[in-house]
Amino acid sequence: MKYDVTVIGSGPGGYIAAVRCAQLGMKTAIIEKYNTLGGTCLNVGCIPSKALLDSSEHYHNATHTFKDHGIELSDLKVDFKQMIERKTQVVNQVTGGVDFLMKKNKIDVFHGLGSFIDKNNIKVTDGDGKETKIETDKTIIATGSKPASLPFIEIDKKRIITSTEALVLKEIPKHMIVIGGGVIGMELGSVYARLGAQVSVVEFMDDIIPSMDKTMGKELKKALKKLGFQFYLGHKVVEVKGTAKTVTIKAENKKGEIVDIKGDYCLVSIGRKPYTEGLGLENAGVKMDDRGRIEVDEHLKTSTDNIYAIGDVVKGAMLAHKAEEEGVFVAEVINGEKPHINYNLIPGVVYTWPEVAAVGQTEEQLKESGRAYKSGSFPYRALGRARASMDIDGLVKVLADKETDEILGVHMIGARTADMIAEAVVAMEFRASAEDIARMSHAHPTYTEAFKEACLAATDNRALNV
Amino acid sequence: MSLEIKVPAVGESITEVTIAQWFKQEGDQVEMDEVICELESDKATFELNAEAAGKLHIVAQEGDTLEIDELICTIDTDSAGETKTESSPAPEAASSDKPASEGPKSTGEIKEMIVPTVGESITEVTISSWLKADGDFVELDEVIAEVDSDKATFELPAEANGILRIVAQEDDTIEIGALICKIEVMEGGAPTAESTPAPATTDTSSSTSSTSENETYATGHASPAAAKILAEKGIDPANVKGTGKDGRITKEDAEKAQVTAPKPAAAPAKQEETAEAIAAPGSRNERRERMTSLRKTVSKRLVSVKNETAMLTTFNEVNMKPIMDIRKQYKEKFKEKYEVGLGFMSFFTKAVTVAAQEWPAVNARIEGNEIVYNDFVDVSIAVSAPKGLMVPVIRNAESMSFDQIEKEIIRLATKARDGKLTIDEMTGGTFTVTNGGIFGSMLSTPIINAPQSAILGMHNIVERPMAVNGEVKILPIMYVALSYDHRIVDGRESVSFLVRVKELLEDPTRLLLGI
């Protein structure tokens, strides 16, 4: 069988690329190593974690805020098995949705490990060892990433686990030690903290979610402490030991002292690494960089003509929506179009509660680049909507050019900021000024008023409700 | 206190006046607006009115010739029988020692000046320079800015007396009808520095904010969809006019934008059809490019020459046969000896230098009130270079031999083509020769290369039937044109110069003998 385009990997980058290629009239195939389509995001990433985050948030509210709302509950308990079961159903629904999209767009799905024979021929080896050969004109590599670890940590997948296992635990941990203060650790840590687990975060840097604006890390840390998180910041993990029932880790603090932390589970969430194993890149002449990522040019083309790569396997933020944009981008490039991706305006979101969302430059980046900027923020507690919902933690911070008032960065922490950040992305794609937003009507009472007010504050320090 | 009355500016070209007679005596009491004296210029006679009431002190006597702005008399207003200080004096007479109470008052009115309609096809103009600074006091009809359109440069006069608040900056390109500046209208003359009224400060901020309504950092920013469309069409967003907020380029703008630049680099094989489809045939685009500074300079200079000189052109025709015969006869030998071709230019240059020495006004220039004659002839040669018109100079052409001239022309033309001419090699020059004939021009009226006084235009050589001794003969004829500045070159001189050039070219032996 000969295809115009073959996509290797069916995550949000890969399947979207395949759909767009098919829309553009190309005969398209997609290769997936696992049984279900959807990749990390749908199977063991965004979707299942959000399912558990929402379930655990409901429980948390039931135990903590319902009473204030005037709702009395007795015998409240977690049916963890059901919680995991519901999550599995959600995953099945969304991966089934991808199956449907493949059929709808007449994309041929091959299950098995895709491996280059040469640049135009790919061998697919399925679970039974059966091989199928695919001839293709163009190939899009979208094989994604997998959890990274440290050389001295042995992931036993029972007590010392990654995010993948954290989504299928059989019990609620008593004390979960999270190594790494990044997004994944904070989200999964939140799930189990809300369900009653003690959570300890060990992070080498001095802040959590260190890539985001410092204010966000500071605010999130406050909120998570309320949830019972314990933070060991500036601590370097030097040893992780697991037994059948316990995990002990040793971490070195800034003074050089060793701290022992004992728990029953250890989540290793120090990041993810590009996944290229078994791809046979060398057979196609596709080069990798020194960090194990596939090297691509500005058109996301690899060192081999006709072979492109997108998503976590190439440089840039490891985010599903970044991969999706790249999937569409490459499909259109192959079709001879000239699409753009504004990498500066890819939003980042942390699905803790309060949620953290950001787009554009952080205050630290602006300072470092020497750009003259002004800042305006607005606290959630001054919002009518936040009061009504008892979600008063959080703030919106808007950074704008000092001279032109152009919005350069928006950083939000609070209820529903994951959805609110979209407005900032739209505004910034059109290079709106803070005053532009301040002069647009925002429905009342909504959380989005916080963005408008922060823009007013940034414009001329004239927020109205504070 | 005493008010000085000076010679007012009475006309563009008038630099001095003579006191014809005094109607009042020294020490007389004069009334405001009373005629006190009669002045004569070389064009007209006019009366001088008293600018205030008071005691007259005559400074310039009858028969004295005074320059514009020189003191004529003073009026001692303190001794006035009745002071009429309320009535404001004529703006020209505004003297610095005027009482502060008489200073201008803000009327509170803001005059918004917009780009006037300057021509049918002109949709936008560029502010080439502000002659007044932001915050300056400007007077009604005073020229405050120079504005470039793609057709011409024009001057913008103030539409009111008052404080200028600049909105469009130099080099900004703005549409017809767009706001250029505001004038905070004032009554009376120019204020002293301290008397700038307080409201001005508040207006500054309002005028800056309205600047941002016209052009901002976001002007010309293409929306994501628009950017993609433009990239595919191969159009630089800078060439698209955005209709979105603050001039942002919307998707519709991008869709309507027409390909003007050369076609985009070949796209991958698959979508060649798409790319083909976009470039529709028979387009009626206009293409706008910013003028290079060289082009701007050239255009400014040419327009100013046309405006500031009394230029006209005289024509003649030259039988080129004798020169062509000489060239035919000596081409090889000349080339052998001097390693350079014998062209027409050396004959023309030589003829011009001989004629110019006989009619020196053609080789002179005006400098202020003086005419500068040159005993040498530095011939500027107009060369069409890739960047535009260049005019390098052959120095002391009168004392050069034919081969030296030819070599110098080749050297300068080569440098011009390579854009390597130095400023030195292009400045000076006392007379210019331009050859439109190389492009096939039959006849033209060249524009003088200021500050020179004349330019000789060569044209193509065409075989024409000529009457020679009562017979029709076919001869190679070139029309020649001499444009000259009638301010210093009279008709007799210019025509005689051109006839002399014709004689020397038709009988080159004269060049040898100097007759």
Side-chain angles (χ1 to χ4, degrees):
Chain A
M1 200 58 162
K2 170 147 194 197
Y3 292 94
D4 293 329
V5 179
T6 300
V7 182
I8 307 178
S10 70
Y15 91 75
I16 288 289
V19 169
R20 187 72 185 117
C21 285
Q23 281 180 347
L24 293 167
M26 298 174 223
K27 183 155 180 53
T28 309
I30 192 163
I31 301 169
E32 174 54 56
K33 189 172 99 166
Y34 295 103
N35 294 330
T36 53
L37 300 180
T40 299
C41 169
L42 274 65
N43 289 282
V44 290
C46 327
I47 299 298
S49 66
K50 258 89 269 177
L52 289 183
L53 277 159
D54 271 9
S55 297
S56 61
E57 180 65 16
H58 286 315
Y59 175 73
H60 177 79
N61 283 335
T63 50
H64 289 86
T65 64
F66 275 22
K67 204 173 170 201
D68 287 334
H69 279 289
I71 305 166
E72 295 267 0
L73 289 168
S74 54
D75 297 335
L76 189 66
K77 63 173 190 197
V78 176
D79 182 350
F80 191 59
K81 202 180 153 214
Q82 167 58 23
M83 212 176 259
I84 296 288
E85 177 56 30
R86 188 194 79 91
K87 178 223 72 179
T88 307
Q89 282 168 17
V90 171
V91 168
N92 290 343
Q93 281 159 11
V94 293
T95 56
V98 179
D99 282 330
F100 164 77
L101 289 174
M102 297 302 107
K103 282 195 194 85
K104 182 189 162 200
N105 288 287
K106 300 188 172 55
I107 296 161
D108 290 346
V109 179
F110 294 86
H111 282 282
L113 177 71
S115 183
F116 284 102
I117 299 166
D118 57 46
K119 72 186 180 72
N120 290 113
N121 289 285
I122 300 166
K123 176 178 73 182
V124 183
T125 314
D126 72 11
D128 305 329
K130 207 183 97 199
E131 288 183 6
T132 313
K133 270 184 197 165
I134 295 174
E135 197 187 345
T136 185
D137 181 23
K138 306 265 194 322
T139 303
I140 301 171
I141 302 170
T143 46
S145 60
K146 64 176 194 181
S149 183
L150 292 167
F152 57 87
I153 301 177
E154 195 201 332
I155 309 276
D156 65 14
K157 297 194 179 183
K158 291 186 180 73
R159 294 286 158 180
I160 303 167
I161 59 176
T162 69
S163 56
T164 307
E165 293 78 47
L167 295 165
V168 290
L169 290 182
K170 299 274 190 296
E171 56 173 357
I172 298 166
K174 289 179 191 68
H175 181 194
M176 179 181 257
I177 302 160
V178 176
I179 300 178
V183 176
I184 296 169
M186 295 308 97
E187 290 182 1
L188 291 174
S190 290
V191 168
Y192 291 107
R194 290 165 190 166
L195 297 179
Q198 189 194 335
V199 174
S200 299
V201 177
V202 187
E203 164 63 49
F204 177 68
M205 307 282 274
D206 293 332
D207 284 300
I208 57 166
I209 50 169
S211 63
M212 299 187 97
D213 191 279
K214 267 206 165 46
T215 311
M216 298 297 110
K218 211 178 81 196
E219 293 295 316
L220 181 62
K221 199 166 72 188
K222 263 198 278 182
L224 293 179
K225 272 185 177 166
K226 280 192 206 166
L227 203 56
F229 271 54
Q230 198 170 353
F231 291 98
Y232 296 85
L233 302 182
H235 280 63
K236 182 185 172 189
V237 176
V238 290
E239 191 187 276
V240 179
K241 270 196 176 154
T243 65
K245 297 264 180 192
T246 60
V247 185
T248 312
I249 79 153
K250 286 186 195 298
E252 191 184 318
N253 68 13
K254 289 239 165 122
K255 294 173 203 151
E257 298 157 352
I258 300 289
V259 182
D260 281 354
I261 309 166
K262 280 198 171 72
D264 53 348
Y265 285 91
C266 175
L267 171 63
V268 180
S269 53
I270 55 161
R272 298 179 65 85
K273 59 181 184 191
Y275 187 69
T276 54
E277 255 166 63
L279 259 177
L281 293 178
E282 59 288 349
N283 300 331
V286 175
K287 284 192 194 131
M288 293 203 287
D289 67 14
D290 52 358
R291 291 161 71 175
R293 303 176 296 196
I294 294 178
E295 230 173 66
V296 287
D297 65 12
E298 71 270 29
H299 302 298
L300 298 174
K301 191 163 71 64
T302 66
S303 52
T304 303
D305 280 347
N306 296 1
I307 299 179
Y308 297 79
I310 61 170
D312 288 5
V313 83
V314 302
K315 62 181 186 279
M318 289 186 170
L319 295 168
H321 45 279
K322 177 253 195 186
E324 289 177 32
E325 292 308 318
E326 291 183 334
V328 170
F329 177 93
V330 163
E332 292 179 350
V333 165
I334 289 173
N335 194 44
E337 299 173 29
K338 293 193 174 168
H340 290 257
I341 294 178
N342 189 344
Y343 282 99
N344 295 323
L345 296 186
I346 292 174
V349 175
V350 189
Y351 291 90
T352 46
W353 197 266
E355 292 173 334
V356 185
V359 65
Q361 306 210 59
T362 65
E363 191 157 357
E364 292 72 38
Q365 286 169 333
L366 290 174
K367 271 184 190 152
E368 198 180 323
S369 65
R371 182 116 181 216
Y373 69 94
K374 49 190 182 160
S375 169
S377 38
F378 189 81
Y380 257 49
R381 59 185 62 251
L383 275 184
R385 183 69 178 88
R387 284 281 166 202
S389 308
M390 286 178 66
D391 275 316
I392 54 168
D393 286 342
L395 61 89
V396 174
K397 178 161 116 176
V398 171
L399 304 169
D401 186 281
K402 195 166 187 179
E403 297 303 319
T404 65
D405 198 34
E406 178 179 6
I407 300 175
L408 303 174
V410 177
H411 307 278
M412 306 172 160
I413 177 166
R416 302 193 194 173
T417 56
D419 296 290
M420 280 163 59
I421 199 68
E423 182 188 358
V425 177
V426 172
M428 290 171 74
E429 279 284 5
F430 287 91
R431 298 189 64 186
S433 67
E435 189 175 357
D436 287 331
I437 300 302
R439 293 194 177 281
M440 292 179 194
S441 174
H442 286 66
H444 175 77
T446 61
Y447 294 109
T448 65
E449 290 173 282
F451 182 38
K452 174 179 175 162
E453 291 273 3
C455 283
L456 274 166
T459 303
D460 216 3
N461 195 20
R462 53 174 210 246
L464 297 164
N465 282 295
V466 75
Chain B
M1 65 167 300
S2 111
L3 177 68
E4 291 184 336
I5 297 185
K6 294 173 176 175
V7 180
V10 287
E12 230 177 38
S13 59
I14 296 169
T15 58
E16 53 187 27
V17 298
T18 307
I19 311 284
Q21 58 172 312
W22 279 105
F23 297 125
K24 294 281 173 181
Q25 309 268 312
E26 165 73 23
D28 276 1
Q29 191 71 30
V30 297
E31 295 299 322
M32 169 115 178
D33 286 336
E34 193 180 359
V35 177
I36 52 173
C37 153
E38 190 180 73
L39 302 174
E40 259 178 9
S41 75
D42 50 357
K43 292 256 162 76
T45 302
F46 54 91
E47 293 169 340
L48 186 75
N49 300 324
E51 289 165 6
K55 196 171 163 191
L56 177 70
H57 296 288
I58 291 174
V59 175
Q61 302 304 319
E62 283 187 9
D64 281 3
T65 298
L66 304 177
E67 291 203 351
I68 301 300
D69 258 347
E70 262 190 87
L71 190 63
I72 297 178
C73 62
T74 61
I75 294 174
D76 193 350
T77 51
D78 288 342
S79 61
E82 33 172 350
T83 40
K84 295 180 179 177
T85 39
E86 307 88 358
S87 45
S88 55
E92 290 89 6
S95 73
S96 49
D97 51 8
K98 210 158 21 130
S101 61
E102 251 187 273
K105 289 192 186 75
S106 170
T107 60
E109 189 194 335
I110 306 273
K111 177 84 193 167
E112 294 201 339
M113 288 184 54
I114 58 167
V115 184
T117 309
V118 287
E120 237 177 30
S121 61
I122 294 169
T123 58
E124 58 178 23
V125 298
T126 305
I127 308 288
S128 63
S129 65
W130 277 105
L131 305 177
K132 292 282 172 177
D134 191 73
D136 275 5
F137 181 85
V138 298
E139 285 173 10
L140 179 68
D141 289 335
E142 184 179 10
V143 175
I144 55 174
E146 277 182 4
V147 179
D148 279 344
S149 75
D150 48 4
K151 294 258 164 72
T153 300
F154 59 92
E155 291 174 335
L156 189 76
E159 292 172 9
N161 282 329
I163 304 289
L164 176 68
R165 297 294 172 201
I166 290 175
V167 173
Q169 300 302 319
E170 270 178 30
D171 292 333
D172 276 4
T173 298
I174 48 181
E175 279 181 66
I176 300 300
L179 189 64
I180 288 190
C181 66
K182 296 177 182 181
I183 296 176
E184 289 161 18
V185 181
M186 316 270 285
E187 279 172 349
T192 48
E194 316 83 70
S195 65
T196 308
T201 0
T202 35
D203 280 318
T204 318
S205 62
S206 76
S207 75
T208 32
S209 77
S210 68
T211 310
S212 66
E213 275 160 36
N214 292 325
E215 185 140 327
T216 72
Y217 67 91
T219 304
H221 173 71
S223 80
K228 176 172 183 282
I229 291 166
L230 292 178
E232 285 163 7
K233 285 187 175 182
I235 298 174
D236 182 349
N239 297 329
V240 178
K241 213 185 115 16
T243 62
K245 185 172 187 301
D246 294 333
R248 285 173 173 80
I249 298 169
T250 63
K251 184 179 178 188
E252 189 188 12
D253 294 335
E255 280 170 344
K256 283 184 180 165
Q258 302 268 340
V259 187
T260 53
K263 282 186 86 182
K270 243 215 128 185
Q271 96 330 334
E272 250 158 34
E273 317 122 43
T274 353
E276 288 295 327
I278 291 160
S283 114
R284 292 168 35 75
N285 299 326
E286 289 182 342
R287 192 160 58 90
R288 280 168 196 273
E289 272 177 23
R290 233 187 155 72
M291 266 205 240
T292 61
S293 56
L294 175 68
R295 175 53 56 190
K296 270 190 190 165
T297 312
V298 167
S299 75
K300 263 194 194 139
R301 287 194 57 183
L302 292 178
V303 170
S304 73
V305 168
K306 277 227 135 183
N307 289 337
E308 289 164 16
T309 65
M311 183 161 57
L312 74 161
T313 309
T314 177
F315 304 102
N316 218 314
E317 57 186 4
V318 178
N319 171 15
M320 296 295 286
K321 189 154 191 310
I323 291 179
M324 290 170 99
D325 288 345
I326 291 175
R327 284 185 72 214
K328 207 181 285 171
Q329 197 175 344
Y330 298 109
K331 210 162 75 181
E332 299 301 322
K333 279 187 184 156
F334 191 88
K335 177 109 197 186
E336 224 167 79
K337 179 155 185 194
Y338 299 114
E339 292 171 336
V340 66
L342 177 59
F344 292 114
M345 278 306 285
S346 45
F347 287 95
F348 275 82
T349 308
K350 260 342 249 194
V352 159
T353 59
V354 171
Q357 278 165 321
E358 286 170 26
W359 304 103
V362 174
N363 192 41
R365 69 176 188 275
I366 292 180
E367 209 167 87
N369 287 335
E370 293 173 327
I371 297 177
V372 182
Y373 292 99
N374 301 299
D375 293 337
F376 54 90
V377 188
D378 283 358
V379 179
S380 307
I381 306 282
V383 179
S384 171
K387 276 189 185 166
L389 187 67
M390 305 258 185
V391 196
V393 182
I394 304 172
R395 309 232 179 245
N396 284 95
E398 82 285 351
S399 54
M400 285 170 99
S401 62
F402 277 60
D403 65 294
Q404 284 173 326
I405 292 172
E406 291 291 350
K407 281 177 189 159
E408 184 68 356
I409 289 172
I410 287 173
R411 186 183 74 83
L412 293 170
T414 310
K415 282 184 102 173
R417 262 191 291 278
D418 299 345
K420 285 183 180 157
L421 282 174
T422 62
I423 303 279
D424 259 2
E425 283 168 328
M426 289 189 282
T427 45
T430 58
F431 183 89
T432 298
V433 176
T434 179
N435 186 1
I438 54 170
F439 306 114
S441 171
M442 179 191 83
L443 196 57
S444 64
T445 58
I447 294 181
I448 297 167
N449 179 13
Q452 298 169 13
S453 296
I455 179 169
L456 178 75
M458 294 165 63
H459 299 93
N460 61 0
I461 299 166
V462 176
E463 293 201 330
R464 291 196 168 87
M466 302 298 288
V468 181
N469 297 329
E471 279 178 51
V472 174
K473 277 201 171 179
I474 305 294
L475 292 172
I477 299 295
M478 178 196 280
Y479 293 144
V480 286
L482 182 79
S483 292
Y484 59 101
D485 187 351
H486 211 336
R487 291 180 304 166
I488 63 166
V489 184
D490 290 333
R492 187 176 73 95
E493 292 167 307
S494 63
V495 173
S496 303
F497 173 90
L498 195 58
V499 168
R500 185 74 176 117
V501 169
K502 172 189 161 79
E503 280 175 6
L504 292 166
L505 292 170
E506 289 186 341
D507 186 1
T509 320
R510 285 165 177 266
L511 283 173
L512 186 68
L513 302 174
I515 48 171

